[in-house]
Amino acid sequence: MKVSVGVSNRHVHLNDDDYKLLFGEIPMTKRNDLTQPGCFASDMLVTITGPKRSIENVRVLGPNRSYTQVEVSKTDSYALGINPPVRNSGDLADAVEVTITGPNGSITRNAAIIASRHIHVDKKIRREHNLEGIDMVSVKIPGEKGGIIENVYLKDSAEAYFEIHLDTDDANAHLLKQNDEVEIIIN
Amino acid sequence: MKVSVGVSNRHVHLNDDDYKLLFGEIPMTKRNDLTQPGCFASDMLVTITGPKRSIENVRVLGPNRSYTQVEVSKTDSYALGINPPVRNSGDLADAVEVTITGPNGSITRNAAIIASRHIHVDKKIRREHNLEGIDMVSVKIPGEKGGIIENVYLKDSAEAYFEIHLDTDDANAHLLKQNDEVEIIIN
């Protein structure tokens, strides 16, 4: 079955305490809604610094979460000089140290991961697309630089928009853009 | 069968005339040999400029060829603001315009492509690996961000080192490094 593509550029999730350390009393304001219900890109930008280099203008997504997490691509990781693990969002086991700098200050956290390839689903989507009881799928990508990507997790939430999230490395390697369509393969 | 991985960062090939326009009387000097016999990375660096931005310190490979070609990734293309076609090396049909700047001057050429995924072979390699008469294969990549990449061309030369060349997008998307091993699948 088909699923549409969402391309995730590098971004940051913050917990409330870290948000205050970085932005002080500046309230988080919304730039635009994201496809997942309730999620949005904020106007807030930070700088991420690793042992090798910094990347500026990294967007903070909202609302704040219970954990601080920096999602980067492998390409970003080489630039920063870090070697983060591939992890599902929220699983910060072995996440690597980076410094995050905002207008109010800097924090250093074991927060950097490369996000696993994942598809957002909810109970209704699982039922409608015969995905009940399935944890992981492969996805067939068409085109001149197409192929099959493996280890694509189904990520549950109470209310989801049915979409595969790929980082910029996966998207660019396969010449995929936001809203392109790819095909789920049940293993 | 297994083949080892060569990761191709963005690079430039020049013809003799364009070399002179960019470097004047400065002779090309060798930095290091590449895996393909006779090919080398030179000490010469240029800046590539597209409508959006420039990328500095792009290496010129030697020896010079009969054509000028700029090989970039899709990630580079977004930075430069260009939309190059996927092409085999030497096929500059619809290659897009970029400006190349060296110490002696600048040239603007329809030269930018995204290189097709390819495996270097020669007659002996084809015979030894049962690849005779085959133009294109798929390749299975192991690991957490593994999968199968399609449309991998077999590229013949008189004497080749048996290796798959992937651009940094393909390598980074699949967490591949130089000299990793992947598996050829005959379609």
Side-chain angles (χ1 to χ4, degrees):
Chain A
M1 88 216 62
K2 300 279 189 190
V3 64
S4 72
V5 171
V7 181
S8 294
N9 204 346
R10 66 185 78 96
H11 62 270
V12 172
H13 302 282
L14 296 171
N15 65 32
D16 288 337
D17 288 345
D18 286 343
Y19 183 88
K20 273 206 175 143
L21 292 170
L22 293 175
F23 291 97
E25 296 306 311
I26 310 169
M28 183 183 280
T29 52
K30 187 191 287 189
R31 178 174 180 261
N32 58 277
D33 283 314
L34 297 175
T35 49
Q36 294 309 313
C39 299
F40 61 91
S42 80
D43 294 307
M44 301 6 239
L45 300 173
V46 294
T47 295
I48 305 300
T49 304
K52 190 170 170 192
R53 209 176 297 164
S54 293
I55 299 178
E56 298 181 345
N57 297 318
V58 180
R59 196 164 294 280
V60 177
L61 303 192
N64 285 340
R65 295 190 177 181
S66 58
Y67 53 88
T68 289
Q69 177 173 286
V70 176
E71 295 182 43
V72 294
S73 68
K74 187 71 183 172
T75 300
D76 295 333
S77 304
Y78 284 124
L80 294 164
I82 60 175
N83 186 21
V86 178
R87 288 283 179 269
N88 294 332
S89 190
D91 174 6
L92 292 170
D94 307 316
V96 303
E97 184 178 290
V98 287
T99 297
I100 312 172
T101 303
N104 197 58
S106 287
I107 57 176
T108 297
R109 297 286 182 270
N110 292 325
I113 62 165
I114 295 172
S116 303
R117 299 155 171 171
H118 60 276
I119 297 174
H120 287 271
V121 296
D122 57 23
K123 278 186 187 166
K124 186 159 167 268
I125 292 168
R126 280 185 177 272
R127 200 163 48 235
E128 286 174 357
H129 293 85
N130 293 315
L131 291 169
E132 286 167 311
I134 294 171
D135 292 329
M136 206 160 68
V137 297
S138 295
V139 168
K140 165 100 176 134
I141 299 169
E144 280 181 286
K145 292 191 72 192
I148 293 169
I149 55 173
E150 297 172 348
N151 302 335
V152 182
Y153 289 85
L154 299 190
K155 182 176 174 179
D156 290 278
S157 55
E159 191 195 355
Y161 175 74
F162 188 44
E163 189 174 62
I164 180 169
H165 278 193
L166 297 175
D167 67 19
T168 46
D169 283 343
D170 274 329
N172 293 349
H174 296 93
L175 307 181
L176 287 172
K177 302 181 309 299
Q178 184 78 21
N179 300 325
D180 280 350
E181 284 203 327
V182 294
E183 175 87 17
I184 295 175
I185 303 170
I186 310 291
N187 297 304
Chain B
M1 90 213 62
K2 300 279 188 191
V3 64
S4 72
V5 170
V7 181
S8 295
N9 204 344
R10 65 183 82 96
H11 63 271
V12 172
H13 302 284
L14 296 172
N15 64 33
D16 288 337
D17 289 346
D18 285 344
Y19 183 88
K20 272 206 175 145
L21 291 169
L22 292 174
F23 291 97
E25 296 305 312
I26 310 169
M28 183 184 280
T29 50
K30 187 190 287 190
R31 180 173 180 262
N32 58 279
D33 283 314
L34 298 175
T35 49
Q36 294 308 311
C39 298
F40 61 91
S42 79
D43 293 307
M44 304 0 244
L45 301 172
V46 294
T47 296
I48 304 300
T49 304
K52 190 171 170 191
R53 209 175 298 163
S54 293
I55 300 179
E56 297 180 347
N57 299 320
V58 180
R59 197 163 295 279
V60 177
L61 302 192
N64 286 339
R65 296 190 176 180
S66 58
Y67 52 87
T68 290
Q69 178 173 285
V70 176
E71 295 181 43
V72 294
S73 68
K74 188 70 185 175
T75 300
D76 295 333
S77 305
Y78 283 124
L80 294 164
I82 61 176
N83 187 21
V86 178
R87 289 283 180 269
N88 294 330
S89 190
D91 173 6
L92 293 170
D94 308 316
V96 303
E97 185 177 291
V98 287
T99 296
I100 311 171
T101 303
N104 196 56
S106 287
I107 58 176
T108 297
R109 297 286 182 270
N110 293 323
I113 63 166
I114 294 171
S116 303
R117 299 156 171 170
H118 60 276
I119 297 173
H120 286 272
V121 295
D122 58 24
K123 278 185 187 166
K124 186 160 166 266
I125 293 168
R126 279 185 178 272
R127 200 165 47 235
E128 285 174 0
H129 293 83
N130 293 316
L131 290 169
E132 287 168 309
I134 294 170
D135 293 329
M136 207 159 69
V137 297
S138 295
V139 167
K140 167 98 174 134
I141 299 170
E144 278 182 288
K145 291 191 72 191
I148 293 169
I149 55 172
E150 297 172 349
N151 302 333
V152 182
Y153 288 86
L154 298 191
K155 182 176 174 179
D156 291 279
S157 55
E159 193 194 353
Y161 175 75
F162 188 44
E163 187 174 64
I164 180 169
H165 279 193
L166 298 175
D167 68 18
T168 46
D169 283 343
D170 274 329
N172 293 349
H174 297 93
L175 308 181
L176 287 172
K177 302 181 308 299
Q178 185 77 21
N179 299 324
D180 280 350
E181 283 204 326
V182 294
E183 175 87 18
I184 295 175
I185 303 169
I186 311 290
N187 296 305

